[in-house]
Amino acid sequence: MATKKLLKGNIALCHGAVAARCDAFFGYPITPQNEVPECMSELMPANGSVFIQAESEVSAINMVYGAACAGKRAMTSSSSPGVSLKQEGISYIAACELPCVIVNVQRGGPGLGTILPGQADYFQAVKGGGHGDYKLLVLAPWSAQECYEFMPLAFDLADKYRNPSMILMDAIIGQMLEPVDMHKNFDIVEYPKPWATNGARGRAHNIINSLWIDPKTMEGLNQKLQAKYADMQVHEVRFKEYQTEDAELVMVAYGSPARICRSVVDMAREEGMKVGLLRPITLFPFPAMQINDMAKDGKRFLVVEMSCGQMVEDVKLAVNGASDVEFYGRSGGAVPTPTEILNEVRARFGKPPVVSHYSSRKESAV
Amino acid sequence: MQKVFERPKGLTDTEFTYCAGCLHSTIHRLIAEIMEEMDIIHQTVGVCPVGCAVFMYEYMACDIIEASHGRAPSVATGVKRMLPDRLVFSYQGDGDLASIGTAEIVHAAGRGENISVIFINNTTYGMTGGQMAPTTLIGQKTTTCPSGRDPHVNGYPIRVCEMLATLDGPSYIERVAPTSPAGMSKTKKAIKHAFQNQIDGKGFSLVEVLSNCPTNWRMTPIDSFKWIDEKMSEFFPVGVFVDR
Ligand SMILES: Cc1ncc(C[n+]2csc(CCOP(=O)(O)OP(=O)(O)O)c2C)c(N)n1
Ligand code: SF4
């Protein structure tokens, strides 16, 4: 019996949200994630849940805030310019320690940019994004299957840490059709939410607030948040390695560039170059310790991103001078080809560049 | 001895921080009395604004949420859609509702969202020190229109009730002025009606309360009441705009 369905990443994540028993979706259309609100407008009511197309991203994230206050599982989805608009609300949600899930199907920017894929919202996603000292739990799927599976994970982590989670993907992952195994059983944990503002019957009134005028109280809250983020750093780091054991050069990439890099590892290995790939799955918390261990082991790094260089800074921080970190990036909607990356790898092994492999079997396997 | 007047159960013991003579205090008390009389304290979720009423979460005995500036109608929407059997109200100033949060209030009203909005119009930004609001009257002096609001420079004041009354979504819109005992009981009746509407599932209600800001208006509380009755109510007439 066929257990797999051919789905776009954007659609797979909607099914993942339903599997996560998401109570509400609030969104506003923006390419390349329009399939998400479209699909959710069918899936949510069909499952007895709420779908609202808000008048703006600003409103959508504040509806998420209200629904999260009510103790329910709420999410929103958008793409780069829309996620910028959500930042104020995200900062409030993080400050109030409310759980929710925000999806960013990134396009190229800055500004209105392009609807083609990008990864230039990395800083915004992992360094806070809005005002103040806060962090999101950031998960980066590289396949439609992971889009599906990361939704229950994102909701679970959000509830566990009372913190917003973000699914940070790019337009390729959102738009690509892939087989998705939907017969996975997720353990959905029901977290008690005694803090929810859902009517004070039989208890003192609950207040959800992020205004703390007294600096001691405000700093105390910041320290509490930082301790939570440190806890995530210990318990929630997720990453995948490919051929890193004996690698001299480790590529670091996430999302669709990581898939291209995996092919490049195979191509390089065929030519005798010892290359591997480390793919961070949680961009925050970042696999810094693991990268540092590799650096101390003498491995060098090549970071590949669809940006002008953002995650490379976290890799450099992780390496902390123990080894070399170099960067190759394309931006504004341009996607690096395997040949381009292979040539970057060849240069690091003192080999001359090769001409395009575009018609090769491996290239089309990407 | 018989107690004839006491603190309503809808209020906590926390002292208000409002300026002397400010109607925010009165309106809070009315909401608290209504919650007690309707026996809904335990099933009400309030959404407070950014403005002088930002500390409202400390005063009300119901569950309560602090929203960011202007976004209370969206936060209230999120709560209400999740908990349709709870009473959800937002409380917003004119800066909050008629300026930064115009889109949110228009669309919550347009959706006919089943929430109750209490809109405090004091024609100024009280909390930040008396700057011009969208509701500041022509000729009225504020710290950002020091020689008086000039429509050619600052545009015209916005009448929120009249504007929202053009929409099909709202079920009840009324403007009141609690500057007299009669005005206060009208205000209370209006807010109660808005809450009852919500309980009856009739959809969006908004009560605009003409309020004062003696501090930034640089008036005594008594003069501020007079100014509401004489100047403000001329541009913002009290009355029912929608009730269906
Ligand atoms: C995004 C944002 N912009 C500006 C402010 C600053 N701010 C705080 S209160 C306020 C005006 C409030 O005026 P109003 O809503 O009329 O309420 P009042 O203080 O008069 O009761 C402003 C501009 C803020 N907190 N957040
Ligand atoms: S500043 Fe004005 S609106 Fe604010 S509490 Fe004082 S009098 Fe009331």
Side-chain angles (χ1 to χ4, degrees), chain A residues 59 65 198 200 203 206 208, chain B residues 42 60 63-64 66 74 86:
Chain A
S59 184
Y65 175 82
N198 51 7
R203 58 158 167 79
N206 281 340
I208 292 178
Chain B
H42 57 273
M60 291 287 148
D63 274 4
I64 199 145
E66 177 55 48
S74 303
R86 310 303 200 279

Side-chain angles (χ1 to χ4, degrees), chain A residues 106-120:
Chain A
Q106 297 170 89
R107 55 197 238 181
L112 198 49
T114 162
I115 57 168
L116 294 168
Q119 290 185 317

